[in-house]
Amino acid sequence: MIVASESAVRQYPELRLTRRSARPEGTVVTVRGVEIGGPGIVIMAGPCAVESEPQLLATARAVKASGAHILRGGAFKPRTSPYSFQGLKEEGLRLLAQARADTGLPVVTEVLDARHLELVATYADILQVGSRNMQNFMLLQEVGRSRVPVLLKRGMSATLEEYLNAAEYVMSNGNPNVILCERGIRTFEPSMENTLDLNAVPMLQRLSHLPVIVDPSHGTGHAWMVPRLACAAVAAGADGVMVEVHVDPANALSDGQHALTPDEFAAMARQIAAVGQAIGRHMVWSALAGGSAAEVAR
């Protein structure tokens, strides 16, 4: 059991629901039988953006075969440029639902605006609130009222106090099923898209009872770095990783430079399993992946 220090509690006295002492045993978020924050390591994988039925189904089948537990894919895409691909929107959501029916994988997808929440919640098993919306307080309140599990990404310039207060907004509106996601922060280093803050994993687990996963795809911006940082995240104690996978990264409509190929993803999943075994925490090779259900507790 991870116990928050008294100094940490005094440092963030406004954290009422997310603080570790509110639930010392830790929170497990269960999504269609997949436990996030339990003894096993969970992998969320899929394309940055849903582009077409063939692209999504091929990717979903590939990541399932290699051990992924949850399918990620963007239907509404927040892009820096207004001229970049913005996603298929409702058609993308329908394709995600089709992929779920085809593979059995639960779906996590981003909701950008409170006006879209009812629509996205109709299709999604987990609502992702992205880094740009981490302090969109109206959206946080609305997803809190929705009761659908929420994956909350850390803002690219957010302190951990600000981040946990964003989670407080969700929980204070009635939704206890929050998953934290470290996805890199903006620093002075230009060679990577972001700097992946692995310090945040043990610190968040000391401060809070919520599950913590890591997104090394956005945390680095380079596909070749993703497997190493995914393994490092598991070694640091993360409850899982979220990675981008595409059947043809060179022709992806969004963030192809981040994405692993299916073969690269399969190799990474084996590496994660080996790291998990080394630290006494196995990846869940669930029935979804056709493997063993053996788990080793932390």
Side-chain angles (χ1 to χ4, degrees), residues 43-252:
I43 299 182
M44 305 180 185
C48 176
V50 177
E51 300 169 2
S52 68
E53 179 180 338
Q55 169 251 5
L56 180 63
L57 289 180
T59 306
R61 290 165 182 166
V63 298
K64 175 191 172 181
S66 296
H69 308 89
I70 295 172
L71 175 66
R72 61 145 298 156
F76 291 85
K77 294 302 303 175
R79 305 302 299 278
T80 301
S81 169
Y83 309 111
S84 298
F85 177 62
Q86 304 290 314
L88 297 181
K89 302 179 173 60
E90 187 169 2
E91 176 59 19
L93 294 172
R94 282 196 284 266
L95 290 175
L96 285 167
Q98 182 180 340
R100 177 176 56 210
D102 182 84
T103 63
L105 294 174
V107 166
V108 55
T109 193
E110 186 166 358
V111 56
L112 293 182
D113 192 297
R115 294 171 296 179
H116 304 151
L117 178 57
E118 184 176 357
L119 172 65
V120 177
T122 301
Y123 294 93
D125 299 299
I126 305 174
L127 297 169
Q128 177 181 311
V129 176
S131 59
R132 290 173 173 85
N133 271 324
M134 191 208 79
Q135 288 186 311
N136 181 338
F137 300 122
M138 182 176 292
L139 178 60
L140 296 175
Q141 290 169 343
E142 290 299 321
V143 297
R145 297 184 187 110
S146 76
R147 304 301 191 273
V148 179
V150 175
L151 189 150
L152 178 63
K153 287 197 165 188
R154 181 184 179 185
M156 61 187 72
S157 300
T159 66
L160 296 186
E161 180 184 13
E162 291 166 338
Y163 185 28
L164 289 174
N165 267 302
E168 289 274 336
Y169 268 91
V170 178
M171 296 183 70
S172 65
N173 279 276
N175 192 340
N177 296 309
V178 178
I179 305 155
L180 301 175
C181 181
E182 163 58 38
R183 47 80 68 203
I185 55 176
R186 180 167 289 177
T187 68
F188 54 81
E189 176 52 55
S191 65
M192 296 164 288
E193 181 174 312
N194 294 289
T195 297
L196 189 61
D197 183 12
L198 292 182
N199 290 332
V201 175
M203 183 56 76
L204 285 170
Q205 290 174 332
R206 187 174 183 85
L207 294 173
S208 175
H209 57 84
L210 297 174
V212 180
I213 70 166
V214 171
D215 174 358
S217 298
H218 288 93
T220 63
H222 299 294
W224 65 269
M225 295 181 71
V226 168
R228 298 187 193 186
L229 272 298
C231 288
V234 171
D239 295 300
V241 297
M242 183 182 206
V243 299
E244 294 187 357
V245 181
H246 196 288
V247 289
D248 185 11
N251 291 300

